[in-house]
Amino acid sequence: MNRFYNAIDELCVEKGITHRRLAEQIGVNEVTLSRYLRGERKMQLAPFMAMCKVFNVPAEELYKTYVYANLE
């Protein structure tokens, strides 16, 4: 998987939540989240910011990971 997927996966483990639960918390379905994480779909701002809030990480930090993953 790509860098962004791995980063989110690690954050989910730390937080003790599944990808399904994360999808619910950011207001998307699980398939959409999976496509975001694999880089098959561009992530929208609202779910991205919700994800930052869920994990309590700065948007800039997570955004860098997202951009680098899409460059790979």
Side-chain angles (χ1 to χ4, degrees), residues 4-15:
F4 185 63
Y5 184 100
N6 292 336
I8 298 304
D9 208 36
E10 288 177 19
L11 289 168
C12 282
V13 169
E14 289 174 17
K15 190 86 168 172

Side-chain angles (χ1 to χ4, degrees), residues 8-69:
I8 298 304
D9 208 36
E10 288 177 19
L11 289 168
C12 282
V13 169
E14 289 174 17
K15 190 86 168 172
I17 61 174
T18 63
H19 285 193
R20 176 176 288 171
R21 181 70 181 129
L22 174 60
E24 291 171 1
Q25 289 181 328
I26 67 171
V28 300
N29 67 47
E30 195 173 0
V31 172
T32 299
L33 176 62
S34 179
R35 289 180 179 151
Y36 287 157
L37 297 180
R38 291 192 318 254
E40 296 173 1
R41 185 172 183 182
K42 297 291 180 195
M43 192 158 198
Q44 300 298 310
L45 182 59
F48 180 82
M49 294 306 292
M51 191 180 290
C52 292
K53 186 174 181 179
V54 167
F55 294 127
N56 194 30
V57 296
E60 296 84 11
E61 179 182 322
L62 200 56
Y63 185 69
K64 281 187 226 177
T65 306
Y66 177 73
V67 169
Y68 290 135

